[in-house]
Amino acid sequence: MSGKPRLTYLNGRGRMEPVRWLLAAAGVEFEETFLETREQYEKLIKDGVLMFQQVPLVEIDGMKMVQTRAILSYIAGKYNLYGKDLKERALIDMYVEGITDLMQMILMFPFSPPEAKEKNIDSIKERASNRYFPVFEKVLKQHGQDFLVGNKFSWADVQLIEAILAVEEKIPAVLSGFPQLQAFKKRMSNMPTIKKFLQPGSPRKPPPDECYVETVLKVFKK
């Protein structure tokens, strides 16, 4: 049995991608098991592996962890990416929750009907440009530091760079009015662990395609 964390999910982004990002940013190698059939998923449930009958599942430090937020909190704490005190942790939590709200729109986009896609892209652009990215632009400008919290690399920075790149895939010019975020993106993308994760052949998953959507529906929909 390897000492590496083992991730069980589909071979795509979904709710596991922020876990991949955080482990990679921490410099932690991991192994993955990909669900391809409904039967594989039902076997996990039958075996009692999934506490709430849901994936992602991350096996780490002798635990079988479910619930994305709990998994991410544990990894952030374990690898010193969760601030130095309760106040910093609260800030990180607020930033992460905000980014997660934005990423939920990205997560659901591949499952929207064709006639709704243009409208949904507009919604993502509006929400990113007017609600979420201005917050981080202001934070970075006000404190003049490289990172969002405590001038130290944290979980919040990882979530933000993931979100920036995901939104840019759909709206390439979305950062045009955000010079601080442009500089942040450049800094984060050049950090050795993140730079490695952004290279071809890394565990980072490509944008969801029709095959991924079909697999999700096949595995999870009765």
Side-chain angles (χ1 to χ4, degrees), residues 124-130 133 163-178 181-182:
I124 292 168
K125 180 179 180 181
E126 191 278 331
R127 200 70 63 88
S129 301
N130 297 322
F133 287 172
I164 286 171
L165 296 178
V167 175
E168 280 189 329
E169 286 173 350
K170 294 177 170 43
I171 306 139
V174 72
L175 290 188
S176 60
F178 300 103
L181 288 182
Q182 291 174 33

PDB file of all heavy atoms in Angstrom, residues 124-130 133 163-178 181-182:
ATOM      1  N   ILE A 124     -21.809  33.888 -15.798  1.00  0.00           N
ATOM      2  CA  ILE A 124     -20.491  33.665 -15.199  1.00  0.00           C
ATOM      3  C   ILE A 124     -19.646  34.930 -15.320  1.00  0.00           C
ATOM      4  O   ILE A 124     -18.996  35.362 -14.357  1.00  0.00           O
ATOM      5  CB  ILE A 124     -19.784  32.463 -15.866  1.00  0.00           C
ATOM      6  CG1 ILE A 124     -20.506  31.162 -15.519  1.00  0.00           C
ATOM      7  CG2 ILE A 124     -18.318  32.396 -15.442  1.00  0.00           C
ATOM      8  CD1 ILE A 124     -20.071  29.973 -16.358  1.00  0.00           C
ATOM      9  N   LYS A 125     -19.663  35.542 -16.504  1.00  0.00           N
ATOM     10  CA  LYS A 125     -18.883  36.768 -16.725  1.00  0.00           C
ATOM     11  C   LYS A 125     -19.348  37.886 -15.800  1.00  0.00           C
ATOM     12  O   LYS A 125     -18.535  38.569 -15.163  1.00  0.00           O
ATOM     13  CB  LYS A 125     -19.015  37.216 -18.182  1.00  0.00           C
ATOM     14  CG  LYS A 125     -18.229  38.480 -18.499  1.00  0.00           C
ATOM     15  CD  LYS A 125     -18.387  38.864 -19.960  1.00  0.00           C
ATOM     16  CE  LYS A 125     -17.600  40.134 -20.274  1.00  0.00           C
ATOM     17  NZ  LYS A 125     -17.768  40.535 -21.705  1.00  0.00           N
ATOM     18  N   GLU A 126     -20.659  38.056 -15.698  1.00  0.00           N
ATOM     19  CA  GLU A 126     -21.206  39.117 -14.852  1.00  0.00           C
ATOM     20  C   GLU A 126     -20.839  38.890 -13.389  1.00  0.00           C
ATOM     21  O   GLU A 126     -20.405  39.810 -12.687  1.00  0.00           O
ATOM     22  CB  GLU A 126     -22.738  39.155 -15.021  1.00  0.00           C
ATOM     23  CG  GLU A 126     -23.400  40.383 -14.395  1.00  0.00           C
ATOM     24  CD  GLU A 126     -23.639  40.239 -12.901  1.00  0.00           C
ATOM     25  OE1 GLU A 126     -23.828  39.093 -12.443  1.00  0.00           O
ATOM     26  OE2 GLU A 126     -23.606  41.267 -12.188  1.00  0.00           O
ATOM     27  N   ARG A 127     -20.987  37.666 -12.923  1.00  0.00           N
ATOM     28  CA  ARG A 127     -20.722  37.351 -11.520  1.00  0.00           C
ATOM     29  C   ARG A 127     -19.226  37.486 -11.209  1.00  0.00           C
ATOM     30  O   ARG A 127     -18.856  38.032 -10.169  1.00  0.00           O
ATOM     31  CB  ARG A 127     -21.211  35.933 -11.217  1.00  0.00           C
ATOM     32  CG  ARG A 127     -21.440  35.629  -9.750  1.00  0.00           C
ATOM     33  CD  ARG A 127     -22.644  36.348  -9.160  1.00  0.00           C
ATOM     34  NE  ARG A 127     -23.885  35.955  -9.767  1.00  0.00           N
ATOM     35  CZ  ARG A 127     -24.625  34.932  -9.371  1.00  0.00           C
ATOM     36  NH1 ARG A 127     -24.224  34.157  -8.390  1.00  0.00           N
ATOM     37  NH2 ARG A 127     -25.784  34.697  -9.952  1.00  0.00           N
ATOM     38  N   ALA A 128     -18.378  36.977 -12.100  1.00  0.00           N
ATOM     39  CA  ALA A 128     -16.933  37.067 -11.878  1.00  0.00           C
ATOM     40  C   ALA A 128     -16.470  38.522 -11.891  1.00  0.00           C
ATOM     41  O   ALA A 128     -15.691  38.952 -11.022  1.00  0.00           O
ATOM     42  CB  ALA A 128     -16.187  36.270 -12.944  1.00  0.00           C
ATOM     43  N   SER A 129     -16.957  39.284 -12.863  1.00  0.00           N
ATOM     44  CA  SER A 129     -16.470  40.654 -13.063  1.00  0.00           C
ATOM     45  C   SER A 129     -17.008  41.646 -12.047  1.00  0.00           C
ATOM     46  O   SER A 129     -16.341  42.637 -11.733  1.00  0.00           O
ATOM     47  CB  SER A 129     -16.834  41.129 -14.474  1.00  0.00           C
ATOM     48  OG  SER A 129     -16.275  40.283 -15.450  1.00  0.00           O
ATOM     49  N   ASN A 130     -18.212  41.400 -11.536  1.00  0.00           N
ATOM     50  CA  ASN A 130     -18.859  42.393 -10.678  1.00  0.00           C
ATOM     51  C   ASN A 130     -18.966  42.005  -9.213  1.00  0.00           C
ATOM     52  O   ASN A 130     -19.128  42.873  -8.358  1.00  0.00           O
ATOM     53  CB  ASN A 130     -20.266  42.697 -11.211  1.00  0.00           C
ATOM     54  CG  ASN A 130     -20.226  43.320 -12.588  1.00  0.00           C
ATOM     55  OD1 ASN A 130     -19.347  44.127 -12.891  1.00  0.00           O
ATOM     56  ND2 ASN A 130     -21.165  42.939 -13.451  1.00  0.00           N
ATOM     57  N   PHE A 133     -14.262  38.799  -8.534  1.00  0.00           N
ATOM     58  CA  PHE A 133     -12.913  39.273  -8.827  1.00  0.00           C
ATOM     59  C   PHE A 133     -12.627  40.659  -8.242  1.00  0.00           C
ATOM     60  O   PHE A 133     -11.490  40.912  -7.806  1.00  0.00           O
ATOM     61  CB  PHE A 133     -12.641  39.237 -10.325  1.00  0.00           C
ATOM     62  CG  PHE A 133     -12.442  37.839 -10.871  1.00  0.00           C
ATOM     63  CD1 PHE A 133     -12.340  37.619 -12.241  1.00  0.00           C
ATOM     64  CD2 PHE A 133     -12.334  36.738 -10.027  1.00  0.00           C
ATOM     65  CE1 PHE A 133     -12.152  36.337 -12.754  1.00  0.00           C
ATOM     66  CE2 PHE A 133     -12.148  35.448 -10.521  1.00  0.00           C
ATOM     67  CZ  PHE A 133     -12.053  35.252 -11.891  1.00  0.00           C
ATOM     68  N   ALA A 163      -9.680  29.204 -10.050  1.00  0.00           N
ATOM     69  CA  ALA A 163     -10.889  29.877 -10.545  1.00  0.00           C
ATOM     70  C   ALA A 163     -10.572  30.820 -11.701  1.00  0.00           C
ATOM     71  O   ALA A 163     -11.296  30.862 -12.703  1.00  0.00           O
ATOM     72  CB  ALA A 163     -11.557  30.643  -9.410  1.00  0.00           C
ATOM     73  N   ILE A 164      -9.500  31.579 -11.569  1.00  0.00           N
ATOM     74  CA  ILE A 164      -9.113  32.512 -12.642  1.00  0.00           C
ATOM     75  C   ILE A 164      -8.926  31.751 -13.950  1.00  0.00           C
ATOM     76  O   ILE A 164      -9.454  32.141 -15.002  1.00  0.00           O
ATOM     77  CB  ILE A 164      -7.826  33.268 -12.263  1.00  0.00           C
ATOM     78  CG1 ILE A 164      -8.135  34.331 -11.201  1.00  0.00           C
ATOM     79  CG2 ILE A 164      -7.194  33.917 -13.496  1.00  0.00           C
ATOM     80  CD1 ILE A 164      -6.897  34.987 -10.605  1.00  0.00           C
ATOM     81  N   LEU A 165      -8.174  30.662 -13.905  1.00  0.00           N
ATOM     82  CA  LEU A 165      -7.899  29.906 -15.133  1.00  0.00           C
ATOM     83  C   LEU A 165      -9.166  29.262 -15.679  1.00  0.00           C
ATOM     84  O   LEU A 165      -9.356  29.199 -16.904  1.00  0.00           O
ATOM     85  CB  LEU A 165      -6.818  28.852 -14.862  1.00  0.00           C
ATOM     86  CG  LEU A 165      -5.442  29.409 -14.480  1.00  0.00           C
ATOM     87  CD1 LEU A 165      -4.472  28.271 -14.192  1.00  0.00           C
ATOM     88  CD2 LEU A 165      -4.875  30.308 -15.579  1.00  0.00           C
ATOM     89  N   ALA A 166     -10.041  28.799 -14.800  1.00  0.00           N
ATOM     90  CA  ALA A 166     -11.288  28.170 -15.255  1.00  0.00           C
ATOM     91  C   ALA A 166     -12.202  29.189 -15.931  1.00  0.00           C
ATOM     92  O   ALA A 166     -12.833  28.895 -16.954  1.00  0.00           O
ATOM     93  CB  ALA A 166     -12.007  27.514 -14.074  1.00  0.00           C
ATOM     94  N   VAL A 167     -12.294  30.383 -15.367  1.00  0.00           N
ATOM     95  CA  VAL A 167     -13.134  31.414 -15.973  1.00  0.00           C
ATOM     96  C   VAL A 167     -12.528  31.886 -17.289  1.00  0.00           C
ATOM     97  O   VAL A 167     -13.240  32.098 -18.279  1.00  0.00           O
ATOM     98  CB  VAL A 167     -13.344  32.601 -15.005  1.00  0.00           C
ATOM     99  CG1 VAL A 167     -14.120  33.723 -15.693  1.00  0.00           C
ATOM    100  CG2 VAL A 167     -14.105  32.143 -13.753  1.00  0.00           C
ATOM    101  N   GLU A 168     -11.209  32.030 -17.317  1.00  0.00           N
ATOM    102  CA  GLU A 168     -10.537  32.470 -18.552  1.00  0.00           C
ATOM    103  C   GLU A 168     -10.749  31.503 -19.707  1.00  0.00           C
ATOM    104  O   GLU A 168     -10.750  31.925 -20.869  1.00  0.00           O
ATOM    105  CB  GLU A 168      -9.041  32.657 -18.307  1.00  0.00           C
ATOM    106  CG  GLU A 168      -8.686  33.967 -17.648  1.00  0.00           C
ATOM    107  CD  GLU A 168      -7.197  34.220 -17.612  1.00  0.00           C
ATOM    108  OE1 GLU A 168      -6.418  33.236 -17.542  1.00  0.00           O
ATOM    109  OE2 GLU A 168      -6.798  35.390 -17.643  1.00  0.00           O
ATOM    110  N   GLU A 169     -10.906  30.229 -19.401  1.00  0.00           N
ATOM    111  CA  GLU A 169     -11.171  29.263 -20.475  1.00  0.00           C
ATOM    112  C   GLU A 169     -12.448  29.623 -21.225  1.00  0.00           C
ATOM    113  O   GLU A 169     -12.559  29.356 -22.427  1.00  0.00           O
ATOM    114  CB  GLU A 169     -11.291  27.854 -19.893  1.00  0.00           C
ATOM    115  CG  GLU A 169      -9.965  27.245 -19.474  1.00  0.00           C
ATOM    116  CD  GLU A 169     -10.125  25.911 -18.751  1.00  0.00           C
ATOM    117  OE1 GLU A 169     -11.265  25.537 -18.408  1.00  0.00           O
ATOM    118  OE2 GLU A 169      -9.100  25.247 -18.525  1.00  0.00           O
ATOM    119  N   LYS A 170     -13.396  30.209 -20.532  1.00  0.00           N
ATOM    120  CA  LYS A 170     -14.677  30.560 -21.146  1.00  0.00           C
ATOM    121  C   LYS A 170     -14.737  32.030 -21.553  1.00  0.00           C
ATOM    122  O   LYS A 170     -15.399  32.379 -22.526  1.00  0.00           O
ATOM    123  CB  LYS A 170     -15.823  30.226 -20.179  1.00  0.00           C
ATOM    124  CG  LYS A 170     -15.948  28.734 -19.952  1.00  0.00           C
ATOM    125  CD  LYS A 170     -17.010  28.372 -18.959  1.00  0.00           C
ATOM    126  CE  LYS A 170     -17.268  26.876 -18.956  1.00  0.00           C
ATOM    127  NZ  LYS A 170     -16.068  26.042 -19.002  1.00  0.00           N
ATOM    128  N   ILE A 171     -14.048  32.876 -20.819  1.00  0.00           N
ATOM    129  CA  ILE A 171     -14.059  34.319 -21.088  1.00  0.00           C
ATOM    130  C   ILE A 171     -12.609  34.800 -21.047  1.00  0.00           C
ATOM    131  O   ILE A 171     -12.114  35.266 -20.009  1.00  0.00           O
ATOM    132  CB  ILE A 171     -14.917  35.067 -20.035  1.00  0.00           C
ATOM    133  CG1 ILE A 171     -16.316  34.447 -19.961  1.00  0.00           C
ATOM    134  CG2 ILE A 171     -15.031  36.552 -20.371  1.00  0.00           C
ATOM    135  CD1 ILE A 171     -16.859  34.303 -18.583  1.00  0.00           C
ATOM    136  N   PRO A 172     -11.867  34.671 -22.146  1.00  0.00           N
ATOM    137  CA  PRO A 172     -10.424  34.921 -22.137  1.00  0.00           C
ATOM    138  C   PRO A 172     -10.013  36.304 -21.621  1.00  0.00           C
ATOM    139  O   PRO A 172      -8.944  36.450 -21.027  1.00  0.00           O
ATOM    140  CB  PRO A 172     -10.024  34.737 -23.603  1.00  0.00           C
ATOM    141  CG  PRO A 172     -11.047  33.788 -24.146  1.00  0.00           C
ATOM    142  CD  PRO A 172     -12.325  34.131 -23.447  1.00  0.00           C
ATOM    143  N   ALA A 173     -10.827  37.319 -21.849  1.00  0.00           N
ATOM    144  CA  ALA A 173     -10.443  38.685 -21.462  1.00  0.00           C
ATOM    145  C   ALA A 173     -10.991  39.093 -20.101  1.00  0.00           C
ATOM    146  O   ALA A 173     -10.997  40.283 -19.767  1.00  0.00           O
ATOM    147  CB  ALA A 173     -10.910  39.673 -22.531  1.00  0.00           C
ATOM    148  N   VAL A 174     -11.424  38.151 -19.290  1.00  0.00           N
ATOM    149  CA  VAL A 174     -12.125  38.485 -18.053  1.00  0.00           C
ATOM    150  C   VAL A 174     -11.259  39.297 -17.079  1.00  0.00           C
ATOM    151  O   VAL A 174     -11.778  40.071 -16.274  1.00  0.00           O
ATOM    152  CB  VAL A 174     -12.677  37.215 -17.365  1.00  0.00           C
ATOM    153  CG1 VAL A 174     -11.551  36.382 -16.763  1.00  0.00           C
ATOM    154  CG2 VAL A 174     -13.741  37.550 -16.324  1.00  0.00           C
ATOM    155  N   LEU A 175      -9.933  39.166 -17.154  1.00  0.00           N
ATOM    156  CA  LEU A 175      -9.056  39.899 -16.236  1.00  0.00           C
ATOM    157  C   LEU A 175      -8.616  41.251 -16.782  1.00  0.00           C
ATOM    158  O   LEU A 175      -7.775  41.920 -16.161  1.00  0.00           O
ATOM    159  CB  LEU A 175      -7.808  39.068 -15.902  1.00  0.00           C
ATOM    160  CG  LEU A 175      -7.981  37.821 -15.034  1.00  0.00           C
ATOM    161  CD1 LEU A 175      -6.608  37.266 -14.649  1.00  0.00           C
ATOM    162  CD2 LEU A 175      -8.793  38.104 -13.781  1.00  0.00           C
ATOM    163  N   SER A 176      -9.157  41.665 -17.910  1.00  0.00           N
ATOM    164  CA  SER A 176      -8.667  42.887 -18.562  1.00  0.00           C
ATOM    165  C   SER A 176      -8.747  44.114 -17.662  1.00  0.00           C
ATOM    166  O   SER A 176      -7.916  45.018 -17.759  1.00  0.00           O
ATOM    167  CB  SER A 176      -9.431  43.142 -19.868  1.00  0.00           C
ATOM    168  OG  SER A 176     -10.815  43.289 -19.614  1.00  0.00           O
ATOM    169  N   GLY A 177      -9.727  44.164 -16.776  1.00  0.00           N
ATOM    170  CA  GLY A 177      -9.859  45.310 -15.880  1.00  0.00           C
ATOM    171  C   GLY A 177      -9.298  45.087 -14.497  1.00  0.00           C
ATOM    172  O   GLY A 177      -9.569  45.882 -13.578  1.00  0.00           O
ATOM    173  N   PHE A 178      -8.498  44.025 -14.324  1.00  0.00           N
ATOM    174  CA  PHE A 178      -8.005  43.659 -12.994  1.00  0.00           C
ATOM    175  C   PHE A 178      -6.483  43.471 -13.009  1.00  0.00           C
ATOM    176  O   PHE A 178      -5.986  42.346 -13.028  1.00  0.00           O
ATOM    177  CB  PHE A 178      -8.684  42.369 -12.520  1.00  0.00           C
ATOM    178  CG  PHE A 178     -10.185  42.469 -12.415  1.00  0.00           C
ATOM    179  CD1 PHE A 178     -11.005  41.903 -13.388  1.00  0.00           C
ATOM    180  CD2 PHE A 178     -10.780  43.144 -11.352  1.00  0.00           C
ATOM    181  CE1 PHE A 178     -12.383  41.994 -13.295  1.00  0.00           C
ATOM    182  CE2 PHE A 178     -12.157  43.231 -11.245  1.00  0.00           C
ATOM    183  CZ  PHE A 178     -12.969  42.668 -12.222  1.00  0.00           C
ATOM    184  N   LEU A 181      -4.968  41.163 -10.299  1.00  0.00           N
ATOM    185  CA  LEU A 181      -5.206  39.738 -10.539  1.00  0.00           C
ATOM    186  C   LEU A 181      -4.362  39.216 -11.698  1.00  0.00           C
ATOM    187  O   LEU A 181      -3.941  38.054 -11.689  1.00  0.00           O
ATOM    188  CB  LEU A 181      -6.690  39.481 -10.799  1.00  0.00           C
ATOM    189  CG  LEU A 181      -7.606  39.607  -9.581  1.00  0.00           C
ATOM    190  CD1 LEU A 181      -9.047  39.293  -9.957  1.00  0.00           C
ATOM    191  CD2 LEU A 181      -7.157  38.695  -8.444  1.00  0.00           C
ATOM    192  N   GLN A 182      -4.101  40.056 -12.672  1.00  0.00           N
ATOM    193  CA  GLN A 182      -3.200  39.650 -13.755  1.00  0.00           C
ATOM    194  C   GLN A 182      -1.812  39.340 -13.193  1.00  0.00           C
ATOM    195  O   GLN A 182      -1.187  38.329 -13.552  1.00  0.00           O
ATOM    196  CB  GLN A 182      -3.107  40.752 -14.801  1.00  0.00           C
ATOM    197  CG  GLN A 182      -4.379  40.974 -15.601  1.00  0.00           C
ATOM    198  CD  GLN A 182      -4.271  42.179 -16.530  1.00  0.00           C
ATOM    199  OE1 GLN A 182      -3.209  42.487 -17.058  1.00  0.00           O
ATOM    200  NE2 GLN A 182      -5.383  42.874 -16.724  1.00  0.00           N
TER     201      GLN A 182
END
